[in-house]
Amino acid sequence: MNKAAMPVQLLKIIKEQSETPLPSHLQKENLQHLQEGCDYTNRYIQGIITLSYPLTKLRDGTDFFKIVLQDSDNLSSQINSINVLIYGKMAEDCAKIIRHGETFIVAGFKVVKLPTAREDGRHDCHLEVSEEAGSAIYIYTKPGINAASETASLSVAPKYVYTPLNHLKDGTIVNLYGVVKFFKPPYISKGTDYCSVVTLVDPSNAKLTCSLFNGNLDSLPKIYKVGDIVRFHRIKIREYNGQMQGITSGGFASLTFDGTVGAPVVPRTSSRVYTFMDEEQKTIEELRIWAASNISISGPAAKLSGVQPMLFFDLTCQLVGKAKVDGSSFLLKVWDGTKCPYPTWKVPVEAKDLEGEKVLLQQLRNLAVDILVYDNHVQLAESLKVGSFLRIYSIHTKQASADNKDVSHIEFHLHGGTCYGRGIGVLPESNPDVKELKAFLESVDLTDDLELHLQRCQQLSVTVLTDHQDLSNTELKTITRSPAPQQYRIRAKLRTYKPQKLHQSVKLHCSKCNSLQEVPDRDAFDLILHDSAGTAPNPELHNTSWYESVTWTTQDQKKREIAIHFVKRDEMLQHPEDTLLMIEGGTLKEIWKLAKRFKCVIPVRSTEDDLELLDLSAPFLLQGNVKYYGCKQCSTPKPMKNLSSIAAEQQPSWEPTEIAQVLGIQLLQYVFVMKFTLVDETGALNAYLFDYEKFFQIPASEILTNNFLQQKMQMTMNTLCPPGRKLGDLPWLECFIRSYNVRDEMKNQVYYQIFDTTVAEDVV
DNA sequence: TTAGGGTTGG
């Protein structure tokens, strides 16, 4: 078995004799003789695992696992145990398979002496172990230790064979992997069991729909979203209507994994005993990558602030109240921290029938919404615990007119039946979406009385002027009848705006040629990176006076050559968060990772005599989440050595504008471009908003990568222009607008632009 | 046994 695939080896012992002997070049080292600085490449330490700590991640994302080894040959000696610190893939593997009491052998470690002496009988050195350092780990597992657990006797566990979905045969019982393409969360069937219907796909492009039954809800797969990956053991295959279908058989067992590329590979299961090894982790990772380009995963589930009438959506929320309504319907009161922009329907129920914390329900009266669930969902709804986190699938938003025809309110229904996966799932607190939701709910300020807030918006203006307060208001009718250019102060209401999908409002603007362009998507960047990976790093350009270079070749089949050039600073200590680096041959993901860790990342490629920037359709600079682009028309890229002038500064701030300037790049700026339709008693006009960050007080450069800011902007727009209200109930905006002429061959057009205006501080 | 995917009635 090669070491890259399986850095940790399991050796089975039979009658105290290892079946697989250790490599002969390894020599045993005594704990007492360890010394810092010696070469232990071909030496090993053997001991019994007496203690292990939970697997954790270091700040840079490296897995870290710590165990304590006891020297069983020298139990009487004063120092008989030592800490072993394991990093990276090895940490992960060890955490998965080691057991206290097992014999653990580590070779090729590094000895590090601790600054202070220990008093607990442990060695005053520890061992550092990682694949990169060339370490090897051998674990002796004795068959028969704790035989009830499959994990304890991994080395003798049966090897499972997994059948691709295009090779399934009628009447067989098989094991399989699949990506969830569709699912119905468990519901109470018409028989005696819970039922969950799951449709799987895999890289064979075959599809399998499974009907899974179990009297115990916990025994069905814990699927939370399309794209999750499942492993089924012992599922029965039958032919039905000319197609294969899966159905639970006696020994059915399942594991479910998050389908997100890069997420930790942690199985969700109800069974305490399962096998899961390196090979299977690899399968999950491969399926994730396949799924990423072959399955359309429904976008981020809707928030209440983003609901539209007449649609179906999945809502992740917290249950704050519940009530029986009648025999065929049941009320759930839920919230997700955002405010539904429409007036929402309140289901009349007797106060005594409503379960939930009264104070909280009162505080949340403007944030919580009523969801009426029907028929087969009632029984499950009754069993839900107030306070739990739910995902409700395929809620229907129905628009209904109240007595007053202009005010439409919105109703939330979970209709009967299970079409389209309609149903309710309880999410555990460990679910990443729940963690995010909880954090958001905790940030919501409940002391703020929202009704008063809305009333305040009716009376005062939701926007304020940042200059020219002395100007008096002009009616819109007067403005549209006057020649341009001029400047006005107006008081108007925002009847509608475009684009409604707010992320579409973000563009890139060149202040030199005044052009606007779309923000390039990741595919464009990916393509450029692929192209430039064809140019190998030029070794003559490595390690110059102003940067240090590190290079390596990837271990996969592609054998990519990567070079990273760290710009040197005139200081003893250089922190990653202050460092600029240039990278050749990196992938999208690698570059994003580096950009999070280091101050600046510049993707480059080698020429004969210097490094150069890539095509300007790619960002020329990445800082954190923000990608900086240059104008193709107005830039004249210069060689990278021009950067050395900034690097020579005492404390380079690495400002994007400064970097752009020395590299001959005309920096494009992120900007919100929106069209506001403004009205007052006298008329209407369309005014353009052209805003870098002043109006929303949100930098346009960050909106595309920051969910929180997107939500904040959506809520701002909902306040400025609450959907479903009649004109009289819309809030007032105070704005400055300027008129200007745009001439083309045919005619002269007057346009309007908003300026020196910002959203009032207490509005968001 | 149950369901066998494909929205809307209250």
Side-chain angles (χ1 to χ4, degrees):
Chain A
M1 190 173 284
N2 83 34
K3 223 173 67 179
M6 181 78 170
V8 177
Q9 292 202 26
L10 287 167
L11 305 179
K12 186 167 63 176
I13 288 188
I14 289 174
K15 288 186 194 139
E16 298 305 314
Q17 216 170 14
S18 164
E19 269 197 338
T20 323
L22 290 177
S24 57
H25 67 274
L26 293 181
Q27 280 191 321
K28 190 164 177 178
E29 182 62 70
N30 191 319
L31 210 59
Q32 320 299 322
H33 300 154
L34 288 176
Q35 276 187 337
E36 195 175 38
C38 293
D39 180 7
Y40 291 101
T41 311
N42 295 314
R43 304 279 177 134
Y44 72 88
I45 286 282
Q46 176 170 340
I48 304 282
I49 302 162
T50 55
L51 192 58
S52 65
Y53 296 82
L55 179 70
T56 55
K57 275 195 193 307
L58 301 179
R59 274 173 62 182
D60 65 1
T62 309
D63 286 303
F64 175 73
F65 187 57
K66 177 176 162 183
I67 61 172
V68 179
L69 279 194
Q70 190 173 64
D71 183 354
S72 47
D73 297 336
N74 293 293
L75 278 176
S76 56
S77 116
Q78 232 183 6
I79 292 165
N80 61 30
S81 59
I82 187 163
N83 289 337
V84 182
L85 316 186
I86 310 169
Y87 297 88
K89 180 90 172 67
M90 279 189 153
E92 232 187 332
D93 287 338
C94 281
K96 230 179 280 163
I97 59 181
I98 66 114
R99 290 282 163 141
H100 296 175
E102 280 175 343
T103 301
F104 186 97
I105 291 173
V106 54
F109 45 83
K110 188 177 160 195
V111 174
V112 177
K113 189 163 180 349
L114 304 170
T116 50
R118 313 260 326 198
E119 293 174 359
D120 53 6
R122 278 187 213 163
H123 209 286
D124 64 352
C125 295
H126 65 231
L127 306 185
E128 292 191 350
V129 178
S130 69
E131 213 175 339
E132 292 72 21
S135 312
I137 291 175
Y138 307 89
I139 297 167
Y140 284 163
T141 60
K142 297 181 188 181
I145 299 182
N146 195 357
S149 158
E150 285 182 52
T151 34
S153 49
L154 270 180
S155 54
V156 292
K159 192 160 168 56
Y160 285 90
V161 174
Y162 297 94
T163 312
L165 298 184
N166 62 344
H167 283 162
L168 298 173
K169 297 213 168 41
D170 185 23
T172 56
I173 291 183
V174 299
N175 307 313
L176 49 85
Y177 278 100
V179 182
V180 175
K181 186 180 176 290
F182 167 81
F183 72 104
K184 292 184 175 183
Y187 59 95
I188 298 160
S189 75
K190 290 186 181 123
T192 57
D193 291 332
Y194 285 97
C195 173
S196 180
V197 173
V198 182
T199 301
L200 304 179
V201 287
D202 75 359
S204 76
N205 276 323
K207 193 175 97 170
L208 180 75
T209 298
C210 304
S211 300
L212 311 175
F213 300 100
N214 202 300
N216 177 7
L217 184 68
D218 232 22
S219 296
L220 291 170
K222 297 174 189 311
I223 297 167
Y224 303 132
K225 52 171 76 160
V226 167
D228 279 352
I229 293 172
V230 293
R231 189 190 78 177
F232 289 168
H233 276 177
R234 296 169 289 269
I235 185 156
K236 187 152 71 183
I237 303 300
R238 291 198 315 207
E239 194 177 324
Y240 176 77
N241 281 345
Q243 285 198 313
M244 291 302 161
Q245 68 166 201
I247 188 155
T248 36
S249 74
F252 176 80
S254 73
L255 301 181
T256 309
F257 301 86
D258 191 320
T260 315
V261 175
V265 180
V266 181
R268 309 197 277 258
T269 177
S270 61
S271 88
R272 282 182 299 116
V273 176
Y274 58 88
T275 55
F276 190 69
M277 293 173 72
D278 257 28
E279 225 176 296
E280 306 177 84
Q281 163 139 1
K282 228 176 110 197
T283 306
I284 299 297
E285 282 166 350
E286 283 166 5
L287 277 173
R288 283 173 168 177
I289 289 164
W290 174 79
S293 50
N294 289 281
I295 301 246
S296 53
I297 291 167
S298 47
K303 288 277 175 191
L304 287 175
S305 60
V307 298
Q308 299 286 328
M310 305 300 280
L311 52 69
F312 293 87
F313 72 107
D314 299 344
L315 181 68
T316 306
C317 55
Q318 186 182 35
L319 183 65
V320 288
K322 61 177 200 174
K324 187 178 160 58
V325 178
D326 58 45
S328 68
S329 64
F330 195 84
L331 169 66
L332 298 178
K333 283 183 178 286
V334 303
W335 74 312
D336 73 356
T338 71
K339 179 151 172 56
C340 175
Y342 296 85
T344 64
W345 182 46
K346 296 291 171 201
V347 179
V349 288
E350 300 261 351
K352 66 172 169 50
D353 293 333
L354 181 63
E355 185 188 324
E357 216 180 295
K358 295 281 173 294
V359 179
L360 184 66
L361 284 165
Q362 172 64 18
Q363 279 178 321
L364 295 182
R365 67 191 180 284
N366 296 310
L367 285 178
V369 299
D370 284 7
I371 298 176
L372 207 51
V373 313
Y374 295 96
D375 306 335
N376 57 315
H377 307 299
V378 169
Q379 200 184 338
L380 202 131
E382 281 173 334
S383 73
L384 297 172
K385 289 194 180 63
V386 169
S388 60
F389 292 90
L390 308 177
R391 184 163 290 146
I392 309 180
Y393 299 92
S394 209
I395 298 176
H396 181 208
T397 55
K398 184 178 168 192
Q399 196 164 26
S401 289
D403 314 335
N404 185 337
K405 276 200 175 131
D406 291 323
V407 181
S408 54
H409 69 211
I410 209 163
E411 301 178 358
F412 297 94
H413 299 269
L414 188 71
H415 296 293
T418 60
C419 281
Y420 270 84
R422 205 185 284 144
I424 306 171
V426 180
L427 299 178
E429 306 237 346
S430 59
N431 180 285
D433 295 333
V434 169
K435 284 185 184 164
E436 192 185 317
L437 176 61
K438 268 182 92 168
F440 186 66
L441 296 185
E442 279 158 19
S443 76
V444 175
D445 182 8
L446 294 180
T447 55
D448 188 2
D449 187 324
L450 274 140
E451 214 30 60
L452 275 178
H453 173 74
L454 281 179
Q455 280 171 19
R456 172 243 170 268
C457 291
Q458 305 285 320
Q459 291 150 14
L460 297 167
S461 166
V462 285
T463 53
V464 294
L465 311 176
T466 58
D467 203 351
H468 334 276
Q469 274 86 352
D470 49 321
L471 226 66
S472 56
N473 290 331
T474 307
E475 293 180 333
L476 296 189
K477 183 180 70 183
T478 313
I479 297 173
T480 53
R481 288 176 180 174
S482 308
Q486 277 187 76
Q487 299 187 356
Y488 308 95
R489 173 179 179 165
I490 62 165
R491 181 171 160 86
K493 297 186 171 204
L494 179 56
R495 189 162 65 194
T496 182
Y497 58 88
K498 276 186 179 169
Q500 287 279 314
K501 287 185 180 153
L502 294 176
H503 64 93
Q504 292 174 348
S505 67
V506 182
K507 314 279 180 206
L508 291 171
H509 177 240
C510 175
S511 56
K512 193 165 180 195
C513 66
N514 212 22
S515 64
L516 269 182
Q517 64 171 82
E518 296 296 329
V519 181
D521 60 17
R522 51 180 285 171
D523 294 344
F525 189 16
D526 205 17
L527 206 66
I528 292 168
L529 290 175
H530 267 113
D531 285 352
S532 68
T535 312
N538 176 359
E540 289 180 22
L541 302 174
H542 296 174
N543 296 315
T544 66
S545 60
W546 63 284
Y547 59 78
E548 274 170 33
S549 307
V550 183
T551 61
W552 72 94
T553 307
T554 58
Q555 290 300 309
D556 56 13
Q557 309 92 312
K558 289 178 189 144
K559 301 268 176 257
R560 260 186 311 128
E561 283 185 70
I562 302 170
I564 295 186
H565 312 286
F566 295 91
V567 172
K568 286 194 261 191
R569 294 230 344 239
D570 192 18
E571 266 182 45
M572 292 295 285
L573 267 178
Q574 182 158 353
H575 300 290
E577 54 270 24
D578 303 326
T579 302
L580 181 142
L581 64 84
M582 298 171 286
I583 176 166
E584 297 182 73
T587 61
L588 205 62
K589 213 173 133 188
E590 288 160 352
I591 290 175
W592 283 347
K593 263 191 163 168
L594 289 167
K596 288 217 161 55
R597 176 120 194 268
F598 293 90
K599 174 91 178 175
C600 297
V601 173
I602 300 184
V604 295
R605 66 176 162 226
S606 288
T607 66
E608 276 185 14
D609 43 31
D610 200 355
L611 300 169
E612 67 173 11
L613 293 174
L614 310 183
D615 184 281
L616 287 183
S617 305
F620 76 95
L621 170 69
L622 295 94
Q623 278 196 358
N625 276 325
V626 183
K627 300 169 193 68
Y628 291 92
Y629 293 89
C631 179
K632 279 190 164 183
Q633 280 77 45
C634 306
S635 302
T636 331
K638 294 178 185 160
M640 298 308 297
K641 62 170 169 272
N642 287 30
L643 265 185
S644 60
S645 63
I646 308 183
E649 286 172 22
Q650 272 278 308
Q651 290 253 300
S653 61
W654 298 124
E655 283 302 320
T657 46
E658 206 184 347
I659 296 172
Q661 202 190 0
V662 300
L663 293 177
I665 297 299
Q666 178 61 43
L667 189 64
L668 293 176
Q669 278 195 285
Y670 285 87
V671 61
F672 295 112
V673 180
M674 300 179 76
K675 186 166 88 176
F676 281 13
T677 301
L678 298 166
V679 293
D680 68 4
E681 296 85 349
T682 68
L685 62 78
N686 287 324
Y688 286 90
L689 178 73
F690 189 91
D691 174 50
Y692 297 115
E693 82 176 305
K694 183 174 180 179
F695 184 79
F696 291 110
Q697 293 154 68
I698 295 171
S701 56
E702 285 178 41
I703 198 88
L704 292 176
T705 50
N706 188 324
N707 268 331
F708 177 77
L709 291 180
Q710 277 177 29
Q711 244 175 65
K712 188 175 160 189
M713 183 170 169
Q714 178 72 62
M715 290 202 264
T716 302
M717 288 313 297
N718 288 344
T719 310
L720 266 51
C721 184
R725 301 278 183 113
K726 52 182 183 177
L727 198 54
D729 290 339
L730 294 179
W732 288 103
L733 279 71
E734 297 228 279
C735 300
F736 278 114
I737 59 172
R738 66 162 68 94
S739 60
Y740 57 99
N741 292 299
V742 174
R743 287 188 187 83
D744 65 16
E745 293 130 26
M746 304 297 287
K747 57 179 181 191
N748 182 54
Q749 279 259 64
V750 176
Y751 285 85
Y752 303 92
Q753 187 183 327
I754 296 169
F755 72 105
D756 283 348
T757 306
T758 177
V759 173
E761 222 170 84
D762 57 342
V763 162
V764 282

PDB file of all heavy atoms in Angstrom, chain A residues 142-153 273:
ATOM      1  N   LYS A 142      -5.554  -5.648  17.704  1.00  0.00           N
ATOM      2  CA  LYS A 142      -5.706  -7.068  18.023  1.00  0.00           C
ATOM      3  C   LYS A 142      -7.142  -7.461  17.734  1.00  0.00           C
ATOM      4  O   LYS A 142      -8.046  -6.854  18.302  1.00  0.00           O
ATOM      5  CB  LYS A 142      -5.400  -7.306  19.501  1.00  0.00           C
ATOM      6  CG  LYS A 142      -3.976  -6.960  19.848  1.00  0.00           C
ATOM      7  CD  LYS A 142      -3.719  -7.240  21.306  1.00  0.00           C
ATOM      8  CE  LYS A 142      -2.353  -6.697  21.686  1.00  0.00           C
ATOM      9  NZ  LYS A 142      -2.025  -6.958  23.073  1.00  0.00           N
ATOM     10  N   PRO A 143      -7.367  -8.462  16.887  1.00  0.00           N
ATOM     11  CA  PRO A 143      -8.754  -8.873  16.665  1.00  0.00           C
ATOM     12  C   PRO A 143      -9.295  -9.394  17.983  1.00  0.00           C
ATOM     13  O   PRO A 143      -8.575 -10.027  18.748  1.00  0.00           O
ATOM     14  CB  PRO A 143      -8.632  -9.995  15.627  1.00  0.00           C
ATOM     15  CG  PRO A 143      -7.197 -10.373  15.594  1.00  0.00           C
ATOM     16  CD  PRO A 143      -6.392  -9.264  16.178  1.00  0.00           C
ATOM     17  N   GLY A 144     -10.563  -9.056  18.241  1.00  0.00           N
ATOM     18  CA  GLY A 144     -11.139  -9.562  19.476  1.00  0.00           C
ATOM     19  C   GLY A 144     -11.261  -8.504  20.538  1.00  0.00           C
ATOM     20  O   GLY A 144     -12.115  -8.596  21.388  1.00  0.00           O
ATOM     21  N   ILE A 145     -10.451  -7.415  20.436  1.00  0.00           N
ATOM     22  CA  ILE A 145     -10.657  -6.310  21.373  1.00  0.00           C
ATOM     23  C   ILE A 145     -12.011  -5.716  21.027  1.00  0.00           C
ATOM     24  O   ILE A 145     -12.231  -5.305  19.901  1.00  0.00           O
ATOM     25  CB  ILE A 145      -9.625  -5.188  21.180  1.00  0.00           C
ATOM     26  CG1 ILE A 145      -8.222  -5.689  21.428  1.00  0.00           C
ATOM     27  CG2 ILE A 145      -9.930  -3.999  22.054  1.00  0.00           C
ATOM     28  CD1 ILE A 145      -7.189  -4.596  21.293  1.00  0.00           C
ATOM     29  N   ASN A 146     -12.897  -5.652  21.964  1.00  0.00           N
ATOM     30  CA  ASN A 146     -14.154  -4.962  21.746  1.00  0.00           C
ATOM     31  C   ASN A 146     -14.823  -5.408  20.447  1.00  0.00           C
ATOM     32  O   ASN A 146     -15.060  -4.627  19.548  1.00  0.00           O
ATOM     33  CB  ASN A 146     -13.866  -3.462  21.697  1.00  0.00           C
ATOM     34  CG  ASN A 146     -15.132  -2.663  21.835  1.00  0.00           C
ATOM     35  OD1 ASN A 146     -16.211  -3.241  21.913  1.00  0.00           O
ATOM     36  ND2 ASN A 146     -14.995  -1.362  21.880  1.00  0.00           N
ATOM     37  N   ALA A 147     -15.138  -6.688  20.358  1.00  0.00           N
ATOM     38  CA  ALA A 147     -15.602  -7.265  19.102  1.00  0.00           C
ATOM     39  C   ALA A 147     -16.942  -6.706  18.647  1.00  0.00           C
ATOM     40  O   ALA A 147     -17.295  -6.813  17.477  1.00  0.00           O
ATOM     41  CB  ALA A 147     -15.705  -8.772  19.250  1.00  0.00           C
ATOM     42  N   ALA A 148     -17.662  -6.068  19.543  1.00  0.00           N
ATOM     43  CA  ALA A 148     -18.979  -5.562  19.152  1.00  0.00           C
ATOM     44  C   ALA A 148     -18.857  -4.422  18.157  1.00  0.00           C
ATOM     45  O   ALA A 148     -19.774  -4.150  17.399  1.00  0.00           O
ATOM     46  CB  ALA A 148     -19.718  -5.073  20.390  1.00  0.00           C
ATOM     47  N   SER A 149     -17.735  -3.774  18.159  1.00  0.00           N
ATOM     48  CA  SER A 149     -17.625  -2.596  17.309  1.00  0.00           C
ATOM     49  C   SER A 149     -16.854  -2.911  16.037  1.00  0.00           C
ATOM     50  O   SER A 149     -15.769  -3.456  16.065  1.00  0.00           O
ATOM     51  CB  SER A 149     -16.903  -1.496  18.089  1.00  0.00           C
ATOM     52  OG  SER A 149     -16.349  -0.588  17.187  1.00  0.00           O
ATOM     53  N   GLU A 150     -17.454  -2.562  14.925  1.00  0.00           N
ATOM     54  CA  GLU A 150     -16.776  -2.798  13.652  1.00  0.00           C
ATOM     55  C   GLU A 150     -15.530  -1.934  13.535  1.00  0.00           C
ATOM     56  O   GLU A 150     -14.555  -2.334  12.939  1.00  0.00           O
ATOM     57  CB  GLU A 150     -17.715  -2.469  12.482  1.00  0.00           C
ATOM     58  CG  GLU A 150     -18.778  -3.512  12.241  1.00  0.00           C
ATOM     59  CD  GLU A 150     -19.643  -3.144  11.053  1.00  0.00           C
ATOM     60  OE1 GLU A 150     -19.095  -2.872   9.984  1.00  0.00           O
ATOM     61  OE2 GLU A 150     -20.858  -3.120  11.203  1.00  0.00           O
ATOM     62  N   THR A 151     -15.578  -0.730  14.121  1.00  0.00           N
ATOM     63  CA  THR A 151     -14.438   0.165  13.968  1.00  0.00           C
ATOM     64  C   THR A 151     -13.206  -0.346  14.697  1.00  0.00           C
ATOM     65  O   THR A 151     -12.097  -0.093  14.298  1.00  0.00           O
ATOM     66  CB  THR A 151     -14.759   1.576  14.502  1.00  0.00           C
ATOM     67  OG1 THR A 151     -15.615   1.419  15.610  1.00  0.00           O
ATOM     68  CG2 THR A 151     -15.359   2.443  13.469  1.00  0.00           C
ATOM     69  N   ALA A 152     -13.427  -1.061  15.776  1.00  0.00           N
ATOM     70  CA  ALA A 152     -12.286  -1.500  16.570  1.00  0.00           C
ATOM     71  C   ALA A 152     -11.501  -2.582  15.850  1.00  0.00           C
ATOM     72  O   ALA A 152     -10.329  -2.766  16.086  1.00  0.00           O
ATOM     73  CB  ALA A 152     -12.761  -2.018  17.912  1.00  0.00           C
ATOM     74  N   SER A 153     -12.158  -3.302  15.009  1.00  0.00           N
ATOM     75  CA  SER A 153     -11.453  -4.368  14.319  1.00  0.00           C
ATOM     76  C   SER A 153     -11.447  -4.083  12.825  1.00  0.00           C
ATOM     77  O   SER A 153     -11.797  -4.905  12.009  1.00  0.00           O
ATOM     78  CB  SER A 153     -12.127  -5.701  14.605  1.00  0.00           C
ATOM     79  OG  SER A 153     -13.516  -5.589  14.384  1.00  0.00           O
ATOM     80  N   VAL A 273     -22.509   1.973  15.358  1.00  0.00           N
ATOM     81  CA  VAL A 273     -21.428   1.164  14.826  1.00  0.00           C
ATOM     82  C   VAL A 273     -21.449   1.218  13.310  1.00  0.00           C
ATOM     83  O   VAL A 273     -22.453   0.906  12.686  1.00  0.00           O
ATOM     84  CB  VAL A 273     -21.611  -0.300  15.278  1.00  0.00           C
ATOM     85  CG1 VAL A 273     -20.547  -1.167  14.653  1.00  0.00           C
ATOM     86  CG2 VAL A 273     -21.576  -0.384  16.787  1.00  0.00           C
TER      87      VAL A 273
END
